[in-house]
Amino acid sequence: MTDFSTRAVHGVGHQDEEPVSPHTAPIHQTTSFTFPSVRDGVDAFQGSGAYLYTRKANPTIRALERHLAALEAAPVETPEGARAPDFDVDCRFFTTGMAAITAAVLGVGGGGRIVCQGGIYGTTEAMVSTLDRFGVEVAFARVGDLDALEATVTEGAPPRLVYIETPANPLTQVTDIEAAAAIAHAAGARLAVDATFASPALLRPLAWGADLSIHSTTKFIAGHGVVLGGSVSGPAELIEDAIEPMRVRFGGSADPFAAWLTLLGTKTLAIRVDRAAATAEVLAEFLGRHPRVSRVFRPDLSALPAGQLVTGGPMLSFEVEGGGEAALGVVDRLELITLAPTLGNLDTLVQHPWSMSHVVVPEARRIEMGITSGVLRVSVGIEAVADLVADLDRALAG
Ligand SMILES: Cc1ncc(COP(=O)(O)O)c(C=O)c1O
């Protein structure tokens, strides 16, 4: 007979009494797994493929990874017909977008030279800028400029990795992935693409020659502003050889509940992004006509092969006449659109890249990249477009 305290810990076990088949993916909220026998345990450590420890793999996280891999591999419609990656796609999920980016950059680019676009998400630029401390040579090429990318790739030692972001944060410049892949591959480098601003609903880089597709799943993929995460997808072999060890050994593995929440978000990704993208078009037109707005930034679809970016997507930026104080005044007067330093939520969000998301980028570089103090970035949500126009109109009227 066991003591009460022992019984409290062990109970009667928790295995399902009969096989169950849940309609939605269950959450395997556990750090480790047990084995039918000690031999099975030994085999698991020696490569049998059985789950053993959640930092390495977990069924809920695997369910999300398989789902994201299937989205990244979905055929893309183009006027010349459908195109899709001609390899098996796999994916690894990380705690954050930055953990995913770090794993990709070091896992594929470490030990050599990296060419990265400048004028992209501030923390990515800040992270890549610190890599020289770890013996990685880094060169930047202006975002959205293929000639600058090619010149930077060819002028120094051949890089191991070319890293681009399209559409770029915050000014939505686009880069033709097919052309960037040709530049990278001609130099013997791999191409990694952060496609967070578009989500896989609108942009699937692997179909256009990229070796790795990266997302901050925190944003449109999870979609509700409740869970951080990041994904790296690519050919199964590259993911297994270069990305998996980065996660297991450097420890960016996410929590099963985070994976489960993210998986839930993916179910509505297509309709959320389509609705927000249609609204963003209307808002961009409205802002483009407004006398207090000097510039509107939207992805230039004409600079890309047809079908690469399906629509302009849910992100836009605009420059308020009068600089930083004028822009902050507009934010203060908004009532519906919320000031929040993220993107990809259900509600429409605004932030001021100059003093917020891109403050980690040196001021001179922000100016060089066109990120002026008057720029506001908007992540469009799924509210009614008329209410958003009215809010912007009121705020801009001062
Ligand atoms: C384009 C882009 N990539 C990566 C990240 C980093 O993602 P996370 O915040 O999930 O680490 C962000 C965050 O805003 C982003 O905008």
Side-chain angles (χ1 to χ4, degrees):
M1 218 178 356
T2 52
D3 185 73
F4 179 85
S5 61
T6 305
R7 188 180 284 226
V9 174
H10 288 267
V12 291
H14 58 79
Q15 299 303 328
D16 293 321
E17 283 174 16
E18 52 193 67
V20 290
S21 180
H23 175 49
T24 54
I27 310 174
H28 293 275
Q29 191 69 33
T30 182
T31 55
S32 65
F33 299 82
T34 59
F35 312 98
S37 72
V38 67
R39 179 46 53 197
D40 290 302
V42 170
D43 289 349
F45 275 87
Q46 297 185 13
S48 73
Y51 289 107
L52 55 98
Y53 190 59
T54 286
R55 174 157 46 73
K56 192 163 163 43
N58 171 290
T60 308
I61 296 171
R62 249 344 253 156
L64 171 67
E65 290 169 346
R66 278 197 292 263
H67 192 77
L68 291 178
L71 298 187
E72 299 272 10
V76 176
E77 299 302 328
T78 79
E80 288 82 43
R83 53 192 298 159
D86 58 2
F87 45 80
D88 283 343
V89 177
D90 205 349
C91 169
R92 289 295 181 274
F93 183 57
F94 289 83
T95 45
T96 64
M98 286 316 303
I101 294 168
T102 305
V105 165
L106 291 181
V108 174
R113 181 170 178 259
I114 293 171
V115 171
C116 179
Q117 285 185 322
I120 60 173
Y121 176 54
T123 306
T124 302
E125 258 192 76
M127 183 273 285
V128 171
S129 301
T130 61
L131 291 179
D132 55 351
R133 285 194 222 155
F134 304 100
V136 179
E137 192 192 328
V138 176
F140 286 98
R142 194 186 174 87
V143 69
D145 182 341
L146 280 169
D147 292 337
L149 190 71
E150 182 157 32
T152 314
V153 166
T154 50
E155 76 199 3
R160 290 175 73 118
L161 181 72
V162 175
Y163 186 94
I164 68 171
E165 191 179 282
T166 181
N169 184 355
L171 299 184
T172 72
Q173 300 97 327
V174 293
T175 302
D176 175 2
I177 294 170
E178 205 172 15
I183 293 169
H185 294 160
R190 292 215 166 88
L191 178 72
V193 180
D194 180 339
T196 298
F197 259 35
S199 93
L202 301 180
L203 178 60
R204 301 197 270 284
L206 303 178
W208 299 91
D211 300 285
L212 293 174
S213 171
I214 300 171
H215 289 277
S216 164
T217 61
T218 310
K219 311 294 163 33
F220 292 101
I221 290 179
H224 296 75
V226 296
V227 60
L228 296 166
S231 64
V232 183
S233 303
E237 216 171 299
L238 181 63
I239 295 292
E240 177 74 28
D241 293 348
I243 304 302
E244 165 83 11
M246 291 302 298
R247 185 176 68 175
V248 175
R249 295 174 198 164
F250 286 61
S253 319
D255 183 80
F257 186 51
W260 186 86
L261 284 170
T262 305
L263 186 57
L264 202 57
T266 62
K267 314 287 175 172
T268 53
L269 175 65
I271 55 168
R272 283 187 282 109
V273 166
D274 283 353
R275 160 117 176 173
T279 303
E281 276 307 309
V282 178
L283 297 186
E285 271 167 40
F286 165 77
L287 291 166
R289 289 193 309 270
H290 201 285
R292 288 206 57 207
V293 173
S294 44
R295 282 191 298 172
V296 176
F297 302 92
R298 286 285 282 159
D300 176 8
L301 298 183
S302 70
L304 300 175
Q308 189 173 105
L309 184 60
V310 178
T311 67
M315 296 300 300
L316 66 92
S317 289
F318 64 100
E319 187 181 55
V320 179
E321 287 279 8
E325 283 310 308
L328 292 177
V330 170
V331 175
D332 253 345
R333 287 188 295 275
L334 287 165
E335 290 173 8
L336 192 62
I337 299 176
T338 308
L339 170 62
T342 189
L343 59 108
N345 287 12
L346 296 178
D347 53 335
T348 300
L349 308 175
V350 65
Q351 68 102 14
H352 183 233
W354 177 265
S355 63
M356 297 176 183
S357 62
H358 287 68
V359 76
V360 288
V361 177
E363 186 172 315
R365 195 166 167 81
R366 268 177 273 157
I367 293 170
E368 185 195 331
M369 295 301 167
I371 306 168
T372 64
S373 64
V375 169
L376 295 176
R377 189 192 74 189
V378 179
S379 164
V380 179
I382 62 168
E383 305 97 324
V385 62
D387 292 328
L388 297 172
V389 169
D391 199 30
L392 284 167
D393 203 20
R394 186 174 45 237
L396 281 165

